[in-house]
Amino acid sequence: MHLLDDWFDPIEAGLRDRVREFIQAMIESELEAALVRPRYGRRPKADPENADGPSAISGYRHGHRSRSLMGTFGRVEITVPRARLDTAEGKTTEWKSSALRAYQRRTKQADSLIAGAYLAGTNTRRVRRALSAVFGGAISKDTVSRVWRKVKGDWDAWSARSLAEVPIIRLILDGTVVRVRLDRKATTIVLLVVLGVREDGQKVLMAVKNMGGETSEAWRAVLDDLVKRGLRKPELLIVDGGTGLEQALAALWGDVPTQRCTVHKHRNLLAHAPQRLHEEVSADYNDMIYATSAAEIEAHRRAFIRKWRLKCKAVADSLEEAGDRLFTFTRLPVSQWKSARTTNAIERLHEEFKRRIKTQTVLPSAETAAMLFWALLAAGQITMRKVDGWQSLAHKLADKPIDLAA
């Protein structure tokens, strides 16, 4: 064990030296660009015909100062150059590096690691012990608390941000169940999640909140908050078919085309059929939903209704209950059908979220659960790609839905 320690110590020291050299070189290069000359270089001569040229930005160096920076590579001591820049008023101002912010003591990666451990339900003391090996024992309880306050501030700012300039054209809405600790007891809550699709096809998390359940009042509160912050009326809504959500959307945007998730409806049909008929119901349903044209879907739907009215009326009634909202996707270009007919985009988020918290049987609080969902996306641990068929999103929905006559 001692031999391994002796071998790794110089490697770690060499890595920190390289990190220090890289950061210092980056800051030095930034200062040279600000002064328009290298270290020990002469100041550019004034050019009266070019007032905005190099002579317009000038100043002088005045020593260095030491800064301590902590990252996933451990703690390093950095020598940061100092300088003063001339202003238009004939005075000077202290130069500030954009690469290393004032009072910055940790890298973003270090903050993300600390915040992630805390959000997962570990208290400040345990975070300090758990990450001491990573940071060479340089992390304190106060550091964890400061990082947490920063994350909490970012979360509050994100939750209150303006949506007036966000070009959202679709909303995908669904809830996910999470186990949390309330009043020292483990219980389940429902996080209400709203995913938006921008005009360029990129998916964006719009809201994630614990409102006590999936009632119409809870969903309406979430939607009203989005509208209050400037969200424009979307062109299409994609939902799972929950009663509370449907009622809230009908009261707010009753005229917006809505797509019922075809996967959720498939589960409904199977719930109305005996086990021995599940395979046959699935085959007929898939032939209908995954047909390649609206005309084929109409034909398969008529055949489905006629067959299952006789064989298992509850299945036919369940399909008819969804009406044309199950086939809204047929009003879009075929290239968009895959992304528009289900809530799979938001379901994948739920799966990724639960996969990352599966070692935590119970999260510490309801607010922490919502923050962790957001933080995994904000930190880039969960990424979202553009929706399929985004190139044709400029096409508006056709006016005529499919013919539902059986």
Side-chain angles (χ1 to χ4, degrees):
M1 186 65 182
H2 294 297
L3 290 176
L4 286 175
D5 290 343
D6 292 342
W7 187 59
F8 276 113
D9 283 348
I11 292 178
E12 293 175 355
L15 175 60
R16 283 194 292 272
D17 288 342
R18 290 193 175 188
V19 169
R20 181 190 303 110
E21 292 170 2
F22 173 78
I23 295 174
Q24 290 180 171
M26 181 173 58
I27 297 173
E28 188 69 38
S29 176
E30 185 183 5
L31 178 55
E32 289 179 2
L35 295 176
V36 202
R37 65 182 186 276
R39 192 177 185 183
Y40 306 120
R42 293 180 178 274
R43 182 177 298 188
K45 293 182 180 180
D47 183 359
E49 296 182 1
N50 184 14
D52 296 327
S55 62
I57 304 176
S58 60
Y60 59 89
R61 295 170 180 266
H62 65 108
H64 295 77
R65 66 175 180 273
S66 296
R67 286 278 295 275
S68 180
L69 184 66
M70 184 175 67
T72 53
F73 43 78
R75 185 181 293 278
V76 296
E77 296 297 326
I78 303 168
T79 302
V80 181
R82 300 183 68 184
R84 296 196 69 82
L85 302 179
D86 297 334
T87 65
E89 295 79 15
K91 299 180 180 180
T92 62
T93 182
E94 184 74 16
W95 171 77
K96 295 179 181 179
S97 170
S98 58
L100 185 64
R101 302 185 306 278
Y103 307 109
Q104 181 181 354
R105 295 293 180 266
R106 296 173 306 279
T107 64
K108 290 183 178 180
Q109 290 82 358
D111 282 353
S112 295
L113 188 59
I114 296 169
Y118 191 88
L119 279 167
T122 307
N123 62 35
T124 54
R125 191 171 288 103
R126 289 176 179 173
V127 170
R128 177 173 58 82
R129 289 200 299 263
L131 299 181
S132 61
V134 177
F135 297 120
I139 184 172
S140 68
K141 182 180 176 182
D142 290 340
T143 298
V144 178
S145 297
R146 284 195 296 271
V147 171
W148 169 248
R149 287 194 294 271
K150 173 65 167 59
V151 173
K152 180 67 165 59
D154 291 344
W155 158 256
D156 291 338
W158 179 84
S159 298
R161 73 200 187 285
S162 172
L163 302 174
E165 302 301 321
V166 185
I168 297 298
I169 59 173
R170 289 184 189 173
L171 290 181
I172 310 171
L173 308 97
D174 196 11
T176 186
V177 177
V178 181
R179 286 180 61 78
V180 301
R181 194 171 300 282
L182 293 177
D183 298 327
R184 298 184 179 181
K185 293 183 180 179
T187 186
T188 58
I189 63 168
V190 179
L191 294 180
L192 304 185
V193 183
V194 181
L195 195 65
V197 178
R198 295 195 314 232
E199 292 175 349
D200 62 358
Q202 182 61 52
K203 289 172 284 195
V204 182
L205 183 65
M206 305 300 294
V208 51
K209 290 189 177 184
N210 166 42
M211 302 298 294
E214 288 197 82
T215 64
S216 60
E217 293 79 10
W219 273 114
R220 185 61 191 268
V222 173
L223 294 171
D224 284 345
D225 178 64
L226 293 175
V227 172
K228 181 180 178 181
R229 289 191 279 127
L231 178 67
R232 294 176 292 181
K233 182 191 291 188
E235 298 175 5
L236 177 67
L237 301 167
I238 305 176
V239 301
D240 63 355
T243 303
L245 176 57
E246 296 259 5
Q247 291 174 349
L249 290 173
L252 181 62
W253 293 317
D255 57 337
V256 176
T258 301
Q259 170 64 46
R260 284 275 297 272
C261 177
T262 57
V263 173
H264 283 80
K265 175 48 68 176
H266 183 198
R267 296 171 190 161
N268 295 154
L269 297 181
L270 296 181
H272 286 88
Q275 182 67 39
R276 60 185 174 81
L277 296 178
H278 280 193
E279 186 175 346
E280 189 175 356
V281 170
S282 295
D284 291 346
Y285 183 78
N286 290 337
D287 286 344
M288 171 181 59
I289 292 299
Y290 298 108
T292 57
S293 69
E296 288 184 48
I297 290 176
E298 287 183 12
H300 283 294
R301 183 187 179 280
R302 294 191 188 99
F304 188 100
I305 294 295
R306 286 195 299 268
K307 173 180 177 178
W308 290 101
R309 272 180 181 165
L310 297 174
K311 200 161 189 176
C312 184
K313 189 174 184 299
V315 172
D317 291 343
S318 180
L319 182 68
E320 289 187 305
E321 174 271 331
D324 61 359
R325 294 157 71 87
L326 189 63
F327 305 99
T328 305
F329 70 91
T330 61
R331 298 167 59 183
L332 296 166
V334 176
S335 62
Q336 296 181 38
W337 285 13
K338 182 179 179 181
S339 62
R341 64 186 163 211
T342 70
T343 57
N344 281 357
I346 207 166
E347 295 286 350
R348 291 192 194 101
L349 277 185
H350 297 339
E351 291 172 5
E352 286 292 315
F353 174 59
K354 290 178 178 178
R355 184 172 69 84
R356 283 165 170 76
I357 65 171
K358 65 182 178 182
T359 55
Q360 293 290 123
T361 54
V362 181
L363 293 176
S365 70
E367 184 184 31
T368 298
M371 286 181 63
L372 181 56
F373 194 108
W374 160 80
L376 290 171
L377 282 161
Q381 295 187 44
I382 298 178
T383 58
M384 295 186 291
R385 61 180 178 83
K386 293 184 177 183
V387 297
D388 292 315
W390 62 269
Q391 298 89 341
S392 59
L393 282 177
H395 291 75
K396 303 301 180 183
L397 276 75
D399 294 330
K400 184 180 178 182
I402 69 169
D403 184 4
L404 297 183

